[in-house]
Each structure stands twice: as C-alpha cells, then as structure tokens.
Amino acid sequence: MTDLPAATLAAADFYDTHYAGAEPVFLEPGMKLMLGSSERPRHCRFCDKSEPAVTFRDEAHALPAAFGNTGLFSNYECDACNHLFGEGIENHLGNWTKPMRTLSRIKGRNGVPTIKKPGPDKGWRVEYSGTSFQLQEYEDDPFFEVNEETNQLKFELHRDTYIPVAALKGLVKIGLTLIPDVETQHFRETYDWIRETDHSRNFVSEFPVFRTLIPGPMRNDLIVLMLMRRRAGIDTVPYAFFTFAYGNEVLQVFLPSLSQDRCINNQPLSFPAFPTPGSLDPARYGHPRLTTEHLTGREAVKGEKVSATFGFDTLVHNPAESTEGET
Ligand SMILES: [Zn+2]
C-alpha cells in the first residue's frame, strides 16, 4: 500500500475520518437482489404514498438497465414513480453517459449502444460487435485520427441531447434508492426535487460530480455501488455521498439533505474525490483521470462533443473503410 500516491492516501484518510461507508454492492451477471420488504401494503419512498393509492406491479430497477444491471430491484418504487423516472431523468442520465457506456462496452437492453454521426446523411459510426469495435468513416469525411506508433485512435463522439440537471437527478435517484429506510426521513425534499419535472427549480447551489476515468480494459459486467454517511460529531462536510462505478467510469455525487446539510450552508466546500482503484497497468494505459462535472444546467444541451482516445492491440482495415480495433 505504501506505493500509492500521497494524494490517494490523503483522500483515503479524509473519507475514513469523516465518513462511515456501508458495504459496497457488487453487481455481477446472474445476481438477483431485491431491496426492501415485500410485505403489504407497500410504501413508495419517492412519492411517499402507499397501496392502494399507488400500485407496485412493475419490477422497479434500482438503476437503469442501460448500465447493464438486470439484477437489482426495489420493492419501494411505485409504478407511477417508475414510469416518471423511466421517461424522464433516467433518459437524461442515459444520454449523458452513453458515449462512456459505448466505449466501456456496457450492454444495455439492446446490447452495447452504437453511436453514429447525427443527422440523415451517411457518416461515421462506432459500434461494438461483441468481440471488437467496428469503426466506420468515409474518405470524404474523416473522423478517426490514428496513431500507429502509440496504437491510439482519437475521435470526438457526440452526445444525444440532455438536460444536465435532469441527468444529475438520475444519478442522485440511484443513491436515494439504495439508502436504508431509516435514512429516507432526511431526504424528503430531495425525493420531491428528483420527482419534479420542472427542471428549473433551484435546489442546492453547489453540486459537483466527481468523474474518474480509469483507462484500459476494465470489466464491462461489474457495477459497484457505495454509500457513505458522515460520522457523528462531524459538521463540516456533506451528509451523504453515493459512488457508482461501471466499466471505465466512476461517478461520485453527494446526496443533499436539507436538514442534515444545514451545518454546511454557505460554507465553502472542499473535499477530495473518493479514491478509485488504479488502472490495471498504468505504464501501458495511464493513470485514472479525475474531472469535476457541473451538471447544474437547466437548458437542454444539444450536439455536445465528447473526446475519446481509444487504445487498440490490432487494427484491421477492411475494404468497406471500416476499422476494427480492440480495447
Ligand atoms: Zn411513488
């Protein structure tokens, strides 16, 4: 452990001092976990209504199936809330994360998402075939920048239209699904905020999302979810954090609680990101890269570009102008 960078050790110490973490949930293929009791009448923690005012017929995914989760469900999300999220904030979160899900080879309901040039004209395409990536470009419209010396491809994917704060709500929603029942009392306003379809409503002023990109061939069928709650007696940091790792990406967001976070109102916040695992082979793939995302915009973002660098072992050019690579 002593060869870890000093910043990683300091961050680990920070979280150890200020937070107690619940056991992380490791989701792997074939697992089926149900959160909450199946006793009747059931209660929905999102809208705070119970049967028979609301129904619980559908299986409610604790996180969207787009992330490859087919096994974690909850008993405390009613059908109305399930549809509301599925048609709203989960789509925004899905659009925001789609380039990363493609590059990480995350299989959703319809397999790994394909990303192609927007618009009606023919154009570039990034598609995963199950064993390798198929990359297509046209001579008159070059898209990939190939460096055969470093075995890297560079390109700019586009992101489907999304509202940043709605994507943020989608992320917070996963955390609010995982928290234990006893904690939900602290998040009543937060539940109301994620259910609010008018995304212009202000909630908390500072809302950074830490995003760590771990380069290299990471598993595409493992999701790790973790909650952390502030230790008793500490009042200088946010009450709760949620960390979500899938493929090459780790997202950390705080779960705001109006009552529990009163002590940090108007305080400048400064805290490190929770330490993430390093890449498998830093000499070959590089070190994890941390960015802070500000998903607070309330207007739809259209045509955003996402830079991607792609390492490959072998590159096969075929006559149809497509290029095959492996991560
Ligand atoms: Zn509900």
Side-chain angles (χ1 to χ4, degrees):
M1 292 296 278
T2 48
D3 59 350
L4 287 171
T8 306
L9 293 173
D13 186 53
F14 171 87
Y15 282 96
D16 197 38
T17 306
H18 295 86
Y19 290 91
E23 276 297 301
V25 178
F26 291 87
L27 286 177
E28 297 192 76
M31 289 172 60
K32 181 144 184 175
L33 291 172
M34 190 61 88
L35 302 168
S37 158
S38 59
E39 268 174 45
R40 304 279 173 167
R42 288 204 204 154
H43 175 78
C44 174
R45 62 166 58 179
F46 298 93
C47 63
D48 209 17
K49 291 180 184 160
S50 298
E51 287 177 311
V54 288
T55 58
F56 292 81
R57 292 189 192 100
D58 300 337
E59 284 198 310
H61 282 88
L63 69 153
F67 292 99
N69 167 51
T70 49
L72 185 64
F73 301 91
S74 84
N75 276 321
Y76 40 65
E77 181 174 329
C78 77
D79 296 335
C81 287
N82 188 15
H83 293 165
L84 180 75
F85 298 138
E87 287 153 22
I89 58 177
E90 290 180 349
N91 282 333
H92 291 278
L93 178 64
N95 286 355
W96 183 64
T97 55
K98 189 170 155 192
M100 204 56 228
R101 287 186 287 111
T102 297
L103 297 174
S104 290
R105 300 164 288 120
I106 303 297
K107 291 190 197 107
R109 281 200 176 96
N110 304 310
V112 176
T114 295
I115 300 189
K116 48 194 177 185
K117 184 178 180 177
D121 302 334
K122 67 171 191 178
W124 58 265
R125 200 179 163 90
V126 175
E127 187 173 13
Y128 188 67
S129 70
T131 51
S132 62
F133 276 96
Q134 314 283 331
L135 311 171
Q136 187 162 37
E137 66 178 4
Y138 290 86
E139 229 169 327
D140 54 354
D141 183 19
F143 180 66
F144 304 102
E145 199 185 298
V146 184
N147 184 334
E148 305 232 13
E149 271 168 29
T150 58
N151 278 13
Q152 282 184 328
L153 281 169
K154 282 188 178 173
F155 49 95
E156 277 193 330
L157 291 174
H158 80 97
R159 212 170 231 155
D160 291 343
T161 303
Y162 72 105
I163 297 173
V165 75
L168 175 67
K169 289 179 184 182
L171 195 55
V172 169
K173 188 255 162 184
I174 303 171
L176 291 180
T177 303
L178 296 173
I179 60 170
D181 262 338
V182 59
E183 290 290 335
T184 57
Q185 56 176 319
H186 301 309
F187 295 93
R188 203 56 260 155
E189 297 87 352
T190 324
Y191 284 109
D192 291 342
W193 173 69
I194 62 165
R195 289 185 76 258
E196 176 73 71
T197 52
D198 173 4
H199 298 305
S200 65
R201 195 184 131 201
N202 201 8
F203 191 57
V204 289
S205 54
E206 269 196 84
F207 219 131
V209 176
F210 290 128
R211 173 176 182 264
T212 307
L213 181 73
I214 303 173
M218 301 292 288
R219 276 181 68 175
N220 65 345
D221 61 354
L222 172 68
I223 298 169
V224 185
L225 305 162
M226 195 176 73
L227 291 167
M228 285 177 288
R229 196 187 60 183
R230 193 171 62 203
R231 290 188 187 276
I234 290 189
D235 61 2
T236 52
V237 294
Y239 181 63
F241 275 111
F242 164 56
T243 302
F244 173 32
Y246 71 95
N248 296 78
E249 187 163 70
V250 184
L251 298 168
Q252 177 186 349
V253 66
F254 80 95
L255 303 178
S257 160
L258 290 194
S259 58
Q260 299 300 304
D261 286 330
R262 208 167 279 144
C263 54
I264 54 163
N265 272 356
N266 306 316
Q267 305 271 349
L269 294 182
S270 167
F271 42 84
F274 189 77
T276 56
S279 74
L280 298 170
D281 182 355
R284 184 168 174 200
Y285 303 112
H287 290 282
R289 290 191 298 279
L290 172 71
T291 52
T292 306
E293 307 280 334
H294 295 279
L295 291 175
T296 44
R298 298 160 192 186
E299 303 290 328
V301 177
K302 292 182 182 160
E304 192 168 75
K305 298 271 187 271
V306 182
S307 301
T309 303
F310 211 75
F312 55 84
D313 295 329
T314 51
L315 199 61
V316 182
H317 293 272
N318 75 31
E321 300 286 331
S322 83
T323 302
E324 200 168 308
E326 284 177 32
T327 49

